Amino acid sequence: MTQVSDLEQSLHEEKILILDFGSQVTQLIARRVRESGVYCEIWPYTSKNEKIRSFAPKGIILSGGPASVADKDSPRIPDEVFALNIPVLGICYGEQAMCHQLGGQVESSDHREFGRAHVDVVEDSSLCRGVWSRGSREQVWMSHGDRVVKLPPGFKVIGTSEGAPYAMIADEGRRLYGVQFHPEVVHTPHGAALLKNFTHNIAGCHGNWTMASFRDLEIARIRDQVGDKKVICGLSGGVDSAVAAVLIHQAIGDQLTCIFVDHGMLRQGEVDEVVKTFTGQFNIPLIKRDASDLFLKELENVTDPEVKRKTIGRLFVEVFEEEAKKLGGADFLAQGTLYPDVIESVSVTGSSVTIKSHHNVGGLPERMNMQLVEPLRDLFKDEVRDLGREMGIPENIVGRHPFPGPGLAIRILSDITRDKLDLLRKIDSIYLEEIRSAGLYDAIWQAFAVLLPVRTVGVMGDGRTYDHACALRAVTSVDGMTADVYPFDMAFLTRVAGRIVNEVRGVNRVTYDITSKPPGTIEWE
C-alpha cells in the first residue's frame, strides 16, 4: 500500500475538479485539461462538501448545463466551492450560477446565441494572458439563452459579445472567472489555451500527468489488489481489452490468462493478428475458442439489430464462462471500462433514451462471483491509445478504428450467413487497404463497409447481373458523440468502387454514406 500511496500522491498532487451541471460536452473539458498534463475528475454538482474538500483540488471548473438559474429548483454550486479559496472557472451555466449565487443577476435574453460568435476583449486578464489581448476580436462557440446582466461585487467585465454583455468576467483578487462561451470545443480555436491558463498559470499546476507515470501507478495498484491470485480477461481484438491485458500482464505476469472468443464476425485476418500479437510479442497466456458455428446457428434468420446484439452478448457470456471454468477458477475478471463509462453511471441528467444497446461483459461478475480489475477506468479513449503506445503495443492495434462488439453482424443489414460475412470481409479489406495506401487512415475516426439488404441490376461484360449493393462509411470525430462525413475526393471513391466490383464476386454496386451524426448514428445498426 505504501508504494501505491506514494505513487498516487506524486501523480495526483495537482488535480482539477470539474463539477458537471449536465452539459453535453462536459467530458471535453476533462479531455482538454488532461491534454495539458493535469489530472482531473468529473463529479456531479450534487457532490457533498466534505467529498470536495477531501479531494483537495487546486482549482474547480463549473460546466455548462441545460437549466436556467431563474428556475426554482435549478442546480446550485456547492458552498464548499467558494469556501476553499481556490481558483474557480464557470463555463456557460457555470458562469451564470456563480454570478447568481454571489450577488449578481441573470435573466432570459431576447438575443440568444447558439453556434459561432465573436467576443470583443475589453480588458486584460490572467485568463487571457498570452492568448488574447485587449482590443482583439475572437471567435468562440456559444450555446445559451440566459445571460448575466449584473455582475457580483468584485467582478469586472473582460469580454463582451453581441448577445452577452458579460461574455467574460473576472474577480482577479479571489481568482474567480466566468465565460459565457464554451472553451472546451474545437469551434473555440484558442479555448484549450484559455483552459491551460486557468489550470497552469492561475491554479498553479505544472502538468505532471503522463502515461508513463500512470502506467507505474496502475501496475502498483494491480499488484496490490490482486496479490498472488489469478485474473482472466476477455480479449475482443479491440483497443481497450488489448491495452488492459498488456498492462495487467506487465503487473502480474502469468497470473493473467486471456480468453479470446472468436464469434466468426471479425474482420479479415483479425483473429490471426490478435493471437500472434499476444502469444508471440507479449507472451501472454491465451485461450482461443472458435465458437463461430454456435453463433451463426443462433443468429440464423435473425434480422433485428437489437436481437442480434443481445444474442451475441448472451452467447459471448456463456462461451466465456465455459472457458473460464476449464481454467479451474479465478478470483478476478479484467474489464476495459473507460472513464466515460464511469462518468455516465453517475450522470446528473439521468438515463438517456436507448439508441442501441452496447455489447460488453458487464453481466459476468454477478454470474461468476468474481471481483473486477478495471485498470483503464480513469482514462479516455485517446489516453488508452497513448498508454498502449507507451507499453509498445503495435500501432495496427492501438491505432485501429473503433469496432463494435457484435462485429460484422450489425454491418450486414439482413440475416447473417457465412457467405455474407466472407463477402463483407473482402469489401471491407479492400476499402481499408485503399484508405491506408492513400495515407488517410489516421485522419479518419472510423471507416467501414455495410452490406445492404438489396440486390441491384448491373452489367458486367456482355451479361446482366443481379447482385448485392454495399455502402461505404467514413467519419471524422473527436469522441464519437458527433461525427462529420470524411470528404473523400471522387477519384478515390471511384477507385475503391472499381476494385470492389471487379474483385468481389457477388457485388455490383457501391454507394458512399454522406450522413453526419446527428441525425444518423455512425454505425447503421
Side-chain angles (χ1 to χ4, degrees):
M1 285 298 291
T2 302
Q3 183 187 9
V4 174
S5 299
D6 290 346
L7 285 168
E8 192 162 24
Q9 176 63 30
S10 173
L11 185 59
H12 292 168
E13 62 184 6
E14 298 181 345
K15 51 197 175 188
I16 297 293
L17 176 60
I18 300 167
L19 290 181
D20 183 18
F21 289 87
S23 170
Q24 295 291 317
V25 290
T26 298
Q27 289 187 27
L28 292 183
I29 303 173
R31 288 168 61 88
R32 299 294 169 261
V33 172
R34 296 267 187 98
E35 286 165 4
S36 70
V38 178
Y39 181 75
C40 64
E41 292 186 11
I42 297 173
W43 295 1
Y45 73 90
T46 53
S47 299
K48 301 298 184 183
N49 285 333
E50 311 83 68
K51 184 180 178 184
I52 294 173
R53 191 182 311 114
S54 65
F55 186 64
K58 297 201 72 171
I60 293 177
I61 299 176
L62 312 172
S63 85
S68 169
V69 296
D71 295 341
K72 179 181 177 182
D73 298 320
S74 61
R76 289 181 58 83
I77 303 167
D79 296 335
E80 189 69 17
V81 168
F82 302 115
L84 287 172
N85 294 317
I86 60 174
V88 179
L89 171 63
I91 296 174
C92 198
Y93 181 86
E95 180 200 50
Q96 295 165 8
M98 181 164 58
C99 288
H100 179 69
Q101 291 178 222
L102 295 180
Q105 186 177 344
V106 180
E107 64 181 29
S108 295
S109 171
D110 293 332
H111 188 96
R112 300 186 175 190
E113 289 181 303
F114 295 98
R116 285 183 175 85
H118 290 88
V119 165
D120 294 307
V121 182
V122 298
E123 288 288 346
D124 292 325
S125 166
S126 300
L127 190 62
C128 301
R129 187 169 298 147
V131 183
W132 293 345
S133 57
R134 183 170 54 183
S136 67
R137 167 168 272 212
E138 307 293 345
Q139 179 183 304
V140 298
W141 186 265
M142 294 278 195
S143 180
H144 69 97
D146 293 356
R147 66 176 183 177
V148 178
V149 295
K150 178 185 175 184
L151 291 181
F155 280 82
K156 66 178 182 179
V157 58
I158 56 178
T160 67
S161 72
E162 185 177 349
Y166 303 115
M168 299 182 71
I169 60 174
D171 180 337
E172 299 283 1
R174 289 188 288 175
R175 295 183 295 171
L176 304 178
Y177 303 85
V179 295
Q180 187 59 75
F181 55 89
H182 287 273
E184 67 271 31
V185 302
V186 295
H187 308 295
T188 300
H190 302 117
L194 295 178
L195 289 171
K196 186 175 181 180
N197 261 352
F198 177 76
T199 57
H200 288 62
N201 300 335
I202 296 172
C205 298
H206 295 88
N208 61 352
W209 169 254
T210 67
M211 282 302 104
S213 57
F214 174 85
R215 172 185 168 274
D216 292 342
L217 171 62
E218 205 55 44
I219 284 176
R221 279 179 175 170
I222 293 166
R223 288 172 179 166
D224 183 68
Q225 179 187 8
V226 173
D228 60 357
K229 302 294 195 305
K230 293 181 180 180
V231 181
I232 57 173
C233 176
L235 275 184
S236 66
V239 177
D240 303 338
S241 65
V243 172
V246 173
L247 181 61
I248 294 169
H249 187 256
Q250 289 189 359
I252 61 172
D254 289 354
Q255 291 169 239
L256 169 72
T257 300
C258 290
I259 299 174
F260 180 32
V261 178
D262 176 13
H263 53 33
M265 283 155 282
L266 295 176
R267 289 167 288 199
Q268 190 161 293
E270 203 159 38
V271 174
D272 292 339
E273 182 180 56
V274 169
V275 173
K276 180 180 178 181
T277 299
F278 286 90
T279 60
Q281 178 175 345
F282 293 105
N283 198 30
I284 297 176
L286 174 67
I287 296 171
K288 172 183 169 289
R289 166 75 180 272
D290 183 354
S292 56
D293 289 341
L294 171 65
F295 279 81
L296 282 172
K297 182 179 179 181
E298 291 269 349
L299 289 168
E300 191 173 352
N301 298 320
V302 174
T303 59
D304 183 272
E306 276 299 285
V307 176
K308 288 180 185 177
R309 289 176 180 272
K310 290 175 181 177
T311 300
I312 292 170
R314 172 180 57 80
L315 290 174
F316 180 90
V317 169
E318 292 173 0
V319 174
F320 187 94
E321 191 173 14
E322 286 177 12
E323 296 301 323
K325 286 180 178 178
K326 293 177 185 177
L327 290 172
D331 297 277
F332 294 91
L333 170 71
Q335 284 192 167
T337 306
L338 303 189
Y339 194 44
D341 303 321
V342 177
I343 297 167
E344 288 161 10
S345 70
V346 290
S347 171
V348 302
T349 55
S351 300
S352 58
V353 174
T354 299
I355 305 301
K356 57 190 177 185
S357 60
H358 291 272
H359 173 74
N360 54 54
V361 294
L364 282 175
E366 292 79 7
R367 290 179 55 162
M368 301 177 69
N369 192 30
M370 301 170 71
Q371 298 180 58
L372 285 178
V373 178
E374 299 174 299
L376 310 180
R377 64 180 286 115
D378 287 337
L379 301 184
F380 289 101
K381 188 78 171 188
D382 53 340
E383 293 173 323
V384 173
R385 296 186 195 279
D386 290 341
L387 177 60
R389 295 181 181 104
E390 177 71 29
M391 297 188 298
I393 300 177
E395 190 63 29
N396 64 325
I397 290 182
V398 297
R400 67 173 37 159
H401 293 171
F403 188 65
L408 300 180
I410 58 167
R411 293 177 179 174
I412 296 175
L413 309 188
S414 59
D415 61 313
I416 312 299
T417 66
R418 199 175 294 276
D419 287 344
K420 289 179 183 178
L421 286 166
D422 290 341
L423 200 67
L424 184 54
R425 283 192 187 95
K426 293 175 185 176
I427 297 168
D428 190 71
S429 177
I430 290 171
Y431 183 34
L432 293 180
E433 180 183 311
E434 287 293 333
I435 287 174
R436 288 191 173 95
S437 296
L440 300 175
Y441 189 84
D442 292 336
I444 296 170
W445 167 268
Q446 194 171 1
F448 57 92
V450 175
L451 193 64
L452 301 178
V454 294
R455 289 178 180 264
T456 68
V457 174
V459 177
M460 289 187 180
D462 295 322
R464 173 187 183 274
T465 62
Y466 189 62
D467 286 327
H468 290 281
C470 69
L472 307 180
R473 180 91 160 125
V475 297
T476 59
S477 181
V478 174
D479 51 15
M481 300 298 291
T482 61
D484 292 320
V485 179
Y486 188 81
F488 288 123
D489 60 50
M490 191 55 67
F492 174 86
L493 291 173
T494 301
R495 182 168 67 253
V496 173
R499 280 198 61 190
I500 290 172
V501 297
N502 283 314
E503 297 177 31
V504 183
R505 185 178 297 276
V507 178
N508 67 1
R509 192 175 301 271
V510 180
T511 65
Y512 185 57
D513 179 359
I514 59 170
T515 312
S516 62
K517 176 186 179 181
T521 55
I522 296 178
E523 296 283 350
W524 278 46
E525 287 191 348

